[in-house]
């Protein structure tokens, strides 16, 4: 496990997110395809922070929308399907609320796709009718990587990209 994350350089985490949001919105301008939009976000978010080891989307699927299926991501092999309510992703989808887990070993039911994963944030993705379409899952190999700054920045970004 690596030491707690240190953002090097002159930018704060909030400033990195501000820059990223501009970049993502500029790249996606005029591109309506859902998969392309998700793939672009996964790529740019994954590269922005050294501690991100898995960054991607699980999309609502299943006959009654009771399952998540893996979508565009960066990182090692992710599990393909997660039932609603299972793991951190399933909890975010079921509750429709962002989940921040400081240490996945303390989260009962955590689904370990990559043994390096120590902390994570999962943010629900809604469309313009406030229907849940996916969750964004970011895993880190550093304990306590995610906080309110990540939550606010990611929720804002996802609303601007998917709820329009
Ligand atoms: N972290 C997730 C499982 C998916 S992988 O980590 C890619 C969870 O417990 O919901």
């Amino acid at each position: 496990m690596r030491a707690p994350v240190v953002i090097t350089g002159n930018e704060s985490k909030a400033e990195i997110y501000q820059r990223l949001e501009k970049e993502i919105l500029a790249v996606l301008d005029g591109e309506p395809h859902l998969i392309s939009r998700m793939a672009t976000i996964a790529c740019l978010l994954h590269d922005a922070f050294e501690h991100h080891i898995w960054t991607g989307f699980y999309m609502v699927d299943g006959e009654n929308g009771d399952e998540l299926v893996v979508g565009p991501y960066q990182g090692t092999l992710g599990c393909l399907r997660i039932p609603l309510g299972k793991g951190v992703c399933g909890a975010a989808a079921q509750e429709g609320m962002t989940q921040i887990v400081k240490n996945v070993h303390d989260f009962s039911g955590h689904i370990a796709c990559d043994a390096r994963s120590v902390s994570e944030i999962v943010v629900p993705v809604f469309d313009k009718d406030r229907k849940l379409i996916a969750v964004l899952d970011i895993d880190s190999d550093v304990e306590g990587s995610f906080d309110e700054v990540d939550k606010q920045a990611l929720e804002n970004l996802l609303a601007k990209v998917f709820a329009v």
Side-chain angles (χ1 to χ4, degrees), residues 19-49:
R19 176 170 53 76
L20 267 177
E21 181 177 297
K22 279 198 196 115
E23 191 181 349
I24 288 169
L25 294 177
V27 172
L28 292 181
D29 189 33
E31 177 48 70
H33 200 290
L34 192 63
I35 298 296
S36 304
R37 292 169 85 76
M38 288 183 173
T40 301
I41 290 173
C43 175
L44 292 177
L45 278 181
H46 191 70
D47 270 355
F49 297 98

Side-chain angles (χ1 to χ4, degrees), residues 54 58 78-79 82 86-90 109-111 113 120 137 139:
W54 199 96
Y58 278 92
C79 53
I82 300 175
K86 297 281 178 204
V88 187
C89 291
H110 171 252
I111 303 163
C113 291
E120 67 178 90
D137 176 10
D139 294 359

